[in-house]
Amino acid sequence: MSTEAQDLQQTRVVILGGGPGGYEAALVARRWGADVTIVERQGLGGAAVLTDVVPSKTLIATAEWMTRFGHAEEFGIRPADDTIGMVEDANDVIRVDLDVVNKRVLGLAAAQSADIRGRLERVGVRIVVGSGRLDGVQRVVVEGVGPDDAREVLDADVILVSTGATPRVLPAGQPDGERILTWTQLYNLTALPERLIVVGSGVTGAEFAGAYNALGADVVLISSRDRVLPGEDPDAAAVIEEVFKDRGMEVMSRSRAKSAVRTDDGVEVTLEDGRTVRGSHVLLALGSIPNTAGIGLEEAGVRLGDGGHIKVDRVSRTSARGVYAAGDCTTGLPLASVAAMQGRIAMAHALGDTVSPLDPATVCATIFTTPEIATVGYNEDQLKAVGTAYLVSMLPLKGNPRAKMLGLQYGFVKLYAHSVTGVLLGGVVVAHRASELIFPITLAFAHRLTADEVAESFTVYPSLSGTVAEVARMLHKHRD
C-alpha cells in the first residue's frame, strides 16, 4: 500500500489504463480535487496514441501526399524539362522510404505520449507502471512496478477500467511481426511490402489497404462480405470500393480467410473455399478483443457481454458499485473520442458534478480512407426500423466549385431530415477532409436544428461546406 501522505477527505480514484478514457478521466478527477492514480503498462495515451489512432492516421497523412502527387500534372505541375518523356507515373519521380515514414510515425506517437504524461504529472496525477487487477470494488493490485517487478496495493473509492482492446487474429494465422502482421506491428517494417494481403474490409482494413495502395504497394483486400465497409452507409462504401478498384487494388468480395502461413519468400492465405492468395506480407484486420480477461472483473461483480466487453450504462457505470468503465473494453462505440467522453462522464458522475448521459446518436465518426467517410446521427436503416417519417437528399461533390479547384473527383453530402418538422436526423459526408465537414452537421443534429436553419446560414464561396447548405435547401424544396 502506498505510504505517501494523503488527505483523508480526498476521493481516491484508481484508473486502469492510460488511454483516452483513462487520461481524460484523470484530468477531470484532478480538477475536482480527487487523489488520482493511473496504472498503465505500455505508455500514456495507450494503444490509441502508441499503436493505433495516432500512428495509423500519421501513416495515412503520408499516403495522402502520394495521392496528391499522382494528380500533380492535372494542376500543371510537371517534372523538370530534362525528365519530360522519361516519367510514366508518380512513382518514377518520387518513392516512399517506409523506414523513414515509420520512424516519423513512431516518433510522433512517442512525443504525443510524452506530452500526455507531462500534463498529467503537472496536475498531480500519480502514474504507476504495471498491470492492475481488481481485488473487489475498492482495491487494485498492481504487478510489475519498477525494476524489481514489485507489487503494490491501491485502495480506491472509485475505480475506472479503461484497458482497451487487442487485435483479433486467425487461429490458423498467428502473427510473427515480420510477414504475418497485426496493425500494431506494421510500423516495424523498413521497406514497402511488394504485395500486401489485407484480411478484413472493415474500417481498419479499408484504411490500411487504401494507405498502402497510395504509398505504392500492390494490395489485395479480402472481404468476407459482398462489399467493403459492410457496416457503413452503402453509398459511401460504394464510392470507396470504386476508388480502390480505380487505383489498381484487387478487392476479393465474399471471400473468407481460413489461414495464413509463411512461405519461403512471403505468405500464403488460404480461403475457406480452398483458393489461395500469395503475397509478401499479410495484415490481419479482423477486429479486436477487449482486454478484460484475468483482471478480476467478474469476481468483483462486473458483468461482461458475450464478447468479453464490459456492460456500461450511459454514465459509464458498470454493475459493480463504484466501478466505472470507458473505451474499447466496453460495449460503447470503439472510438477514441467516445472513450474520452465516457471517461469524463464517469468522473463527473462519480464525483458529484452534473452530467449529461452519453447519447450514441450524437457521436460523429470518420473513416480515414481517401476520400474520408464521416457520419453522425441516424442512418437510413435505423430510421426505417423505428418508423420515423423522413426525407433524404444527396448531392455529389463533383459539381462543387471548390471541389473542382482541388481536383476532387469522388464524394457526396447526404442529409436526413424529419419530413414534418424538418429537424436534421443524420448525415453522411464522403469527401477530402470529411472529418472537418461533418462538424457543422454534428452541431445541427445535436441542437435539433432544422434543414431550413442550416440552409439559411452563410457559407463561404467557394467552399466544400457550400454543398452542405445546398443539400439542406433541397430538403426544404421536398417539403413544399
Side-chain angles (χ1 to χ4, degrees):
M1 188 173 297
S2 174
T3 58
E4 293 182 15
Q6 183 185 38
D7 182 348
L8 297 180
Q9 300 302 310
Q10 283 184 308
T11 300
R12 297 164 301 180
V13 175
V14 177
I15 298 171
L16 271 66
Y23 71 74
E24 288 285 351
L27 293 170
V28 171
R30 282 300 297 150
R31 282 197 290 272
W32 273 88
D35 176 77
V36 184
T37 301
I38 288 182
V39 179
E40 171 58 53
R41 62 186 177 186
Q42 290 182 306
L44 273 298
V49 169
L50 296 171
T51 60
D52 195 350
V53 182
V54 170
S56 65
K57 277 47 177 181
T58 305
L59 179 77
I60 289 166
T62 303
E64 267 190 36
W65 281 102
M66 288 296 290
T67 300
R68 291 180 190 177
F69 192 86
H71 294 278
E73 194 164 335
E74 298 173 16
F75 294 82
I77 301 171
R78 306 181 66 185
D81 289 343
D82 59 353
T83 62
I84 292 177
M86 299 170 59
V87 178
E88 294 183 4
D89 59 40
N91 288 329
D92 288 332
V93 178
I94 187 169
R95 288 184 174 85
V96 170
D97 186 333
L98 195 65
D99 188 30
V100 174
V101 170
N102 281 338
K103 284 178 180 175
R104 177 176 181 268
V105 166
L106 295 176
L108 288 174
Q112 181 67 15
S113 178
D115 287 345
I116 294 168
R117 172 181 279 274
R119 185 180 180 191
L120 291 171
E121 290 177 339
R122 284 194 298 273
V123 300
V125 175
R126 181 174 178 239
I127 300 166
V128 176
V129 179
S131 299
R133 61 176 175 82
L134 276 64
D135 181 14
V137 297
Q138 290 189 305
R139 185 173 295 168
V140 171
V141 178
V142 184
E143 304 284 354
V145 179
D148 299 323
D149 291 337
R151 182 176 185 268
E152 183 173 356
V153 178
L154 304 170
D155 292 325
D157 301 302
V158 177
I159 296 173
L160 174 73
V161 181
S162 186
T163 49
T166 53
R168 187 185 302 276
V169 299
L170 288 171
Q174 294 299 308
D176 60 12
E178 297 177 352
R179 295 285 183 173
I180 304 174
L181 307 159
T182 68
W183 63 81
T184 67
Q185 299 169 327
L186 282 170
Y187 311 108
N188 297 324
L189 296 177
T190 58
L192 198 66
E194 293 180 14
R195 181 172 169 83
L196 176 65
I197 304 168
V198 178
V199 178
S201 63
V203 174
T204 301
E207 287 185 345
F208 278 111
Y212 274 90
N213 176 248
L215 291 172
D218 181 17
V219 176
V220 180
L221 179 59
I222 297 177
S223 173
S224 62
R225 308 287 285 275
D226 59 354
R227 61 177 172 86
V228 301
L229 297 170
E232 303 302 319
D233 178 88
D235 293 322
V239 169
I240 298 305
E241 187 159 343
E242 179 186 359
V243 170
F244 283 174
K245 291 178 178 178
D246 285 351
R247 293 175 180 166
M249 187 187 304
E250 182 181 355
V251 178
M252 300 179 65
S253 59
R254 294 183 291 277
S255 302
R256 187 178 295 275
K258 181 180 179 181
S259 66
V261 297
R262 289 188 64 157
T263 62
D264 291 340
D265 57 354
V267 294
E268 182 177 272
V269 175
T270 301
L271 307 181
E272 287 192 346
D273 61 9
R275 289 177 296 163
T276 59
V277 185
R278 286 180 167 269
S280 61
H281 299 76
V282 60
L283 167 64
L284 302 177
L286 301 167
S288 58
I289 300 172
N291 297 324
T292 55
I295 59 172
L297 294 175
E298 292 178 292
E299 294 85 346
V302 176
R303 285 199 295 269
L304 306 180
D306 292 338
H309 292 86
I310 301 171
K311 293 184 176 182
V312 292
D313 64 13
R314 291 174 59 196
V315 293
S316 306
R317 288 180 297 191
T318 72
S319 56
R321 183 176 179 84
V323 179
Y324 294 75
D328 291 4
C329 64
T330 74
T331 50
L333 295 169
L335 299 170
S337 58
V338 173
M341 184 66 77
Q342 286 179 309
R344 291 191 292 263
I345 288 173
M347 288 302 104
H349 185 271
L351 299 173
D353 195 4
T354 55
V355 60
S356 297
L358 180 68
D359 181 359
T362 62
V363 175
C364 57
T366 298
I367 301 171
F368 288 86
T369 47
T370 302
E372 296 173 354
I373 300 174
T375 57
V376 71
Y378 299 99
N379 61 40
E380 195 153 8
D381 287 341
Q382 292 170 327
L383 294 173
K384 288 178 179 177
V386 298
T388 299
Y390 70 93
L391 297 170
V392 58
S393 186
M394 184 172 80
L395 267 182
L397 280 175
K398 62 183 180 181
N400 179 289
R402 183 66 173 164
K404 292 175 181 175
M405 296 170 193
L406 294 171
L408 306 180
Q409 301 173 327
Y410 303 96
F412 62 81
V413 174
K414 180 195 290 188
L415 297 178
Y416 299 100
H418 195 281
S419 59
V420 178
T421 66
V423 171
L424 280 184
L425 300 173
V428 182
V429 179
V430 180
H432 174 71
R433 296 288 184 267
S435 50
E436 310 292 345
L437 277 176
I438 199 66
F439 184 60
I441 302 174
T442 301
L443 279 177
F445 175 80
H447 295 283
R448 295 186 59 80
L449 300 185
T450 65
D452 285 348
E453 287 171 321
V454 174
E456 291 163 2
S457 301
F458 275 98
T459 58
V460 171
Y461 182 88
S463 68
L464 298 180
S465 60
T467 297
V468 176
E470 181 61 28
V471 174
R473 283 191 285 273
M474 291 168 61
L475 286 169
H476 175 81
K477 179 179 178 181
H478 285 320
R479 294 200 311 278
D480 284 343

